[in-house]
Every structure is written in C-alpha cells, then in structure tokens.
Amino acid sequence: MISMRNVSKTYGADKPALYDVNVEIEQGEFVFLVGHSGSGKSTFIRLMQRELLPSEGTIVVAGQDLTKMKNWKVPYLRRNIGCVFQDFKLLPNKTTYENVAFALEVIGRSKHVIRTQVPEVLRLVGLEEKINSYPDELSGGEQQRVSIARAFVNRPPLLLADEPTGNLDPATSLGIMSLFSRINKTGTTVLVATHDREMVDSMRKRVIALENGRVIRDQDRGVYGYGD
Amino acid sequence: MAINIGYFMSESIQSFRRNWVMSLGAVITIYLSLLLVGASLASSMIVGQVVRSVEEKVSIRVFLKDGAAPADVDAMNKALVADARVKDVTYTSKEKALEEFKLTMADSPEIIDQLEVNPLPASLDVDLEKPQDVTAVVEMIKANPNFIKVADRPDDPEKSLKYGQQIVNQLFAFTRVLRAVGVVFIVMLAVISLIFINNTIRIAIYARRKEIGIMRLVGASNWFIRTPFLLEGTLQSLLGAFLALLTLGSIQWFVMPKVKEIISFMPVSLSVGSSVQISLILVLSGVIIGLAGSAVALRRYLKV
C-alpha cells in the first residue's frame, strides 16, 4: 500500500525533517506513527498525500510513484486517501450531513450516490442523530467523527490521521480509536500519527517511531516506548 | 455535469453576495470602462458618418462675374468636365441662385424684399469623384486661363472659389484627437477593471480558503476548484457589460432623437448593424476582462 525507499525531506537549508526513511506498509494494516513534536510525523503524512515531494528517494502509494506523478493527477490520488486532522477541518456553515456530502459533491458524485452513502457512513460513526447539527453544536469527539465520516465516505483504501485525538479527552479518544479499528476491519489501511502514549499502548498495533527525522523503531504489536 | 453547472453558479452567486461591496466595485469599474468603450465607438462611428456626408457635399463652386462671355464660361465648363477627377458640373444661373437663397431664407422674407437687384453671382458647381482631390482640382481651376476671364472677382481669384476642404481637415483632426484620448482612457479603465477583478477574486479565494483546503484534501480536480472563481469574475464583468449596453441603449432611444431634431442636417443616428457590432464588442471585451482578471488572481493566489 505504502512503500518509502530512502526518503529524505529537507526544508530549505535546515537539517532534514526526514532522513533516509524506509517503510513498507501492507494493504489492510493498522500502523501508529509515533514521535515527539518535530520528529517528522507531519512531514511523513504530507508526503503520503503528495502535499510535499521528497528531496530524495521514492514513495509509492496505492501502486503509484508519487515522485513521478503529474500535478493534475494528484486530485485523483487524494480520492483514494482519506485524511483526518487534529483540528477536524469542518466547514462551520454546513451541517454534519452537508459537511460529509461536500466531499462527494466536489469529486462529482451523483445526488443518488450522495443520498445513499452519507447516511450510511454517518451510521457507521454513530452520528445518525446529529445529521442536521452544525459543527459548533457538536462536541469535539462528535466533530472528529464527522471528519472521519467525511474521510471515509468515499471508501478510500488508505486512511491517514494526523494527531486525531490531540484535542480530545482520553475517554473520547478511545472511542475515536475504536472507530479507526472498525474502519481498519473493512480492509482499509489506517496510518495514525500520534503522541498519545496510552492509546498506542492499549491498542497493541504496529508502531513506527520517529526521532529527529529517522525511523528508530518499527515493531509489530508495539508500544509508545519513549522513556520520558 | 448538470449538477456541476448548478453548483458552480450557486457558488459564484453566493460569493458575490458574501463580498458584495468589492463585487459591486468591480462591476461599476467594468461598467464605466465598457460604457466609455461603447460611447467612443459609437461617437467615432457617428463622426465617421458625418465626415463622409460632409465629404460627399464637398464640391467646388466657381463664382462667375455678371456678364461673363458665354463662350469663356463654356470653355471653363469643358475644361472641368474633361478632368477625370470631376464627376459632374452644373451651371447655376443668377436667377436660380436667388431662388435657392430665398428658400434658405424663407424664415425671414423681409431680407429678400429689401433686395432691389439680384446680388448673387452665377456659378459652376463642380462635384468630385473623390473628396481628397479638392485641392488639386482647385489648383487646376486657378491655372486655367479662362478662369480669370470669367471669375467673379478677378482681382482676388481665391474669393471666386468656395470649397469645403477646410471643414474636412478640421473634422479629421478632431476625430484623431478623439480616438487617441479615447484609447488612453479605455486602456486606463481596462487596467483598473483588471485590478478590481483581481482583488475581488483574491478576497473570494481568501473567504473560501477553508473550503478550498478541504476540496484539495478530498481530491476535487483543479478545474473544479478554479471554475467558480473564473465564473464569478466573468459574471461580474458581464453584468458591467449589460449595464453599459442598457445605458447606451437608452441614450440611443431617448436622447439621440432629440439631438437629431436639433442638428437635423447631420446624420447622427447609428445603424442597427453598428449597434449590434458595438454590443458584441462590449460583451466580448467584458468576458475577456473577467476571465483575464480572475485567471491572473487564480495564478497568484490559488495553489492547487
């Protein structure tokens, strides 16, 4: 699903944000990407979305070499990648339903598809009751569920999450993580960048640890594992 | 595709409403510049018509002295008719000249009544093939030996001739200045309109940056993201173009007939063909300004 070979990323003349990263992630895996702030997690995620290009190395996502991809093809890559962020990125003037439907509208899905898929995914994330609520009427956890619904409504084979529980309390975070787990069980590859120690330790999934832009550990059924 | 057009339209209109002050500013500058474009096009067309009609009227009158020998007059006439540049020569007798004078002076017959003798000279009226030849033909007449014999004022030959070259030259000079000033104004206003559209689209992009971010995130194609903005700029300038057309149209319908009454001797009306031509030019330049302005803004402010 994801294959990074000798990937480095340098911003300007600074020391590299990522250095010689080699990672293989198979279809259907659930992977945590852990590390302190500034360890390169966000750069990693943005490289996956081809928001950035690596300074060196090759990245293959869903069978496509991102370093050779033409700019106009990037939107079609992103249709295969769901993204969830710490700040939810919901549109405040749209309801739950409209926020999710928006993701389908702008890639040209028909009204019929929208009318069937949106309620379905909102049921999956447990928000069928809040379908007409606006984001400011929802709790943080509910907003994150809307954003997950939006990321997943198009059934992408890959779901990326950058600090999805960064703004949420532990109990709510647990709910979000179990939702990711459920999505993973449908066959979607899930990559979660986080520094939420409890979460990682309790889930016992594969853990890739970054420090100063290098992969320092890659273990199955791992733990957060930093000594601080 | 049908969904898309509806979506794009509603996005553009929504953005227009959200940001109506700037949008209105853009519409007004486009309106003013296109109004000026239209007005100068129309006036240059009208002036062109007037020039043409004046040119058509350009004829040379050779005034004859009373009692000029008919043989000499005939010789002069033959010399004129023989010239290739001359279309037609007509002889106006003293009596006919007086009749014409009476017609033009019909409003004040007392002037005519006071005349005891006919003061008007007879004349040879020379029509030319091409108005540009006026000066050359005048020179030819002056050089003809018969001219001095028949001229009304042999002492001052120039006064025995009347021709309209002076008016035509002045009209041409006037239209040249008009055109130059018009072009400068139009270019300035076009630049201002472009800046205005550029600005409104920039603000529209800024206002919708969250939506744009999410669209990029979920894989909306680049053209899908750009189209509402291009449409918005184009709609603004089309609106400006239609307002300009409306204004020009009402001038044409309500003001021009009055002007025509006042200066009935000049052809100041526009033909249907010219009006259609002007309308097309305005709408097209509106579309071009709108597309160009928003395209520049998109290149500068929207990274897709």
Side-chain angles (χ1 to χ4, degrees):
Chain A
M1 190 72 215
I2 297 173
S3 167
M4 285 182 135
R5 298 261 164 85
N6 309 107
V7 169
S8 298
K9 177 66 191 178
T10 316
Y11 298 105
D14 291 347
K15 70 184 175 73
L18 281 181
Y19 186 75
D20 197 24
V21 171
N22 285 284
V23 168
E24 301 284 334
I25 296 172
E26 300 298 322
Q27 172 79 51
E29 272 196 275
F30 192 119
V31 181
F32 281 114
L33 188 64
V34 302
H36 301 296
S37 303
S39 58
K41 299 193 299 288
S42 290
T43 301
F44 193 107
I45 297 277
R46 294 177 72 195
L47 283 169
M48 299 285 95
Q49 301 169 275
R50 203 183 171 279
E51 189 79 19
L52 299 171
L53 277 169
S55 310
E56 271 172 65
T58 55
I59 303 174
V60 177
V61 173
Q64 288 169 295
D65 187 342
L66 302 195
T67 52
K68 291 185 183 133
M69 182 176 271
K70 299 257 192 316
N71 275 328
W72 66 268
K73 277 192 171 173
V74 172
Y76 303 94
L77 167 79
R78 293 192 183 141
R79 290 178 193 187
N80 288 320
I81 305 176
C83 285
V84 177
F85 296 91
Q86 182 171 5
D87 59 356
F88 321 135
K89 294 194 192 298
L90 299 177
L91 297 171
N93 55 344
K94 288 188 192 289
T95 62
T96 298
Y97 181 92
E98 289 164 348
N99 261 291
V100 177
F102 184 71
L104 292 177
E105 279 164 14
V106 301
I107 60 172
R109 292 285 182 270
S110 72
K111 284 223 163 70
H112 173 74
V113 169
I114 293 171
R115 270 200 293 266
T116 50
Q117 287 194 9
V118 175
E120 199 179 302
V121 79
L122 284 174
R123 231 181 348 265
L124 176 79
V125 301
L127 282 179
E128 61 267 60
E129 306 285 316
K130 305 273 186 172
I131 213 159
N132 291 319
S133 304
Y134 286 89
D136 60 3
E137 299 164 351
L138 298 172
S139 71
E142 287 166 338
Q143 289 186 50
Q144 191 58 295
R145 282 168 193 271
V146 177
S147 121
I148 293 169
R150 182 180 63 196
F152 191 60
V153 68
N154 196 30
R155 303 294 153 128
L158 172 62
L159 190 74
L160 302 176
D162 193 358
E163 301 283 4
T165 58
N167 279 346
L168 305 175
D169 60 67
T172 314
S173 300
L174 209 65
I176 295 294
M177 280 302 165
S178 73
L179 183 54
F180 280 134
S181 182
R182 221 178 321 150
I183 285 172
N184 176 238
K185 290 209 174 75
T186 66
T188 294
T189 312
V190 177
L191 176 67
V192 180
T194 183
H195 54 224
D196 191 333
R197 167 188 298 273
E198 270 176 67
M199 197 58 50
V200 176
D201 288 351
S202 69
M203 299 273 290
R204 289 285 163 159
K205 300 285 189 185
R206 178 178 169 188
V207 174
I208 298 170
L210 288 172
E211 199 172 274
N212 294 326
R214 290 165 196 266
V215 176
I216 53 164
R217 184 159 51 92
D218 185 348
Q219 81 190 130
D220 285 338
R221 302 185 59 78
V223 291
Y224 192 83
Y226 288 95
D228 54 7
Chain B
M1 204 54 205
I3 319 166
N4 281 0
I5 293 167
Y7 166 83
F8 290 145
M9 286 300 284
S10 77
E11 286 294 308
S12 305
I13 291 164
Q14 208 180 68
S15 175
F16 193 101
R17 290 219 317 246
R18 193 178 326 186
N19 189 21
W20 66 271
V21 177
M22 280 303 289
S23 303
L24 200 68
V27 169
I28 289 171
T29 45
I30 293 155
Y31 162 67
L32 288 178
S33 45
L34 290 180
L35 185 63
L36 210 68
V37 170
S40 58
L41 276 176
S43 58
S44 77
M45 280 174 180
I46 288 174
V47 169
Q49 274 179 20
V50 170
V51 166
R52 240 169 289 134
S53 82
V54 169
E55 279 176 348
E56 273 161 21
K57 283 179 192 156
V58 166
S59 59
I60 305 168
R61 287 195 130 184
V62 183
F63 294 115
L64 306 172
K65 66 177 170 193
D66 294 357
D72 294 338
V73 173
D74 203 41
M76 185 74 236
N77 189 15
K78 280 206 175 101
L80 284 167
V81 172
D83 195 296
R85 294 166 294 196
V86 173
K87 188 157 73 179
D88 192 27
V89 182
T90 32
Y91 175 75
T92 307
S93 67
K94 278 180 74 77
E95 293 72 31
K96 204 171 163 226
L98 184 65
E99 255 169 59
E100 282 175 7
F101 183 67
K102 278 181 182 165
L103 273 180
T104 55
M105 284 292 160
D107 288 342
S108 37
E110 66 280 2
I111 296 179
I112 314 286
D113 292 342
Q114 285 169 0
L115 294 174
E116 287 169 5
V117 291
N118 181 355
L120 298 173
S123 61
L124 286 171
D125 302 337
V126 187
D127 277 328
L128 300 180
E129 291 287 349
K130 280 183 284 179
Q132 299 95 293
D133 293 332
V134 167
T135 335
V137 174
V138 164
E139 289 310 311
M140 185 276 282
I141 293 171
K142 281 184 189 163
N144 192 305
N146 284 314
F147 173 60
I148 297 295
K149 289 191 207 159
V150 298
D152 182 37
R153 301 270 304 270
D155 49 316
D156 189 357
E158 186 67 36
K159 291 244 170 81
S160 306
L161 290 165
K162 190 181 151 198
Y163 51 96
Q165 185 62 32
Q166 212 55 36
I167 305 167
V168 172
N169 283 344
Q170 279 171 355
L171 266 177
F172 275 132
F174 177 67
T175 44
R176 264 198 299 275
V177 171
L178 199 72
R179 226 166 270 166
V181 171
V183 166
V184 169
F185 263 94
I186 288 163
V187 168
M188 270 166 50
L189 276 172
V191 169
I192 294 172
S193 326
L194 279 176
I195 293 171
F196 246 96
I197 292 195
N198 186 63
N199 236 340
T200 46
I201 299 301
R202 185 175 63 101
I203 289 170
I205 291 170
Y206 185 76
R208 300 188 57 227
R209 64 197 181 285
K210 271 191 113 169
E211 273 106 320
I212 294 169
I214 291 160
M215 285 160 109
R216 277 160 37 79
L217 196 69
V218 299
S221 69
N222 296 344
W223 280 110
F224 189 91
I225 298 177
R226 287 187 194 120
T227 305
F229 297 109
L230 287 173
L231 201 66
E232 191 183 337
T234 311
L235 281 180
Q236 283 171 3
S237 51
L238 271 181
L239 196 60
F242 281 122
L243 288 177
L245 279 181
L246 212 65
T247 311
L248 289 171
S250 29
I251 290 175
Q252 166 88 334
W253 281 104
F254 302 115
V255 181
M256 286 315 273
K258 299 232 164 73
V259 174
K260 237 168 124 180
E261 267 170 37
I262 297 165
I263 42 174
S264 52
F265 52 91
M266 282 198 175
V268 288
S269 61
L270 268 185
S271 68
V272 176
S274 311
S275 310
V276 169
Q277 206 182 337
I278 290 173
S279 313
L280 280 178
I281 290 174
L282 291 196
V283 170
L284 268 181
S285 30
V287 169
I288 290 169
I289 291 177
L291 278 178
S294 24
V296 169
L298 288 182
R299 274 190 74 89
R300 286 173 61 186
Y301 307 114
L302 183 64
K303 296 278 170 282
V304 288

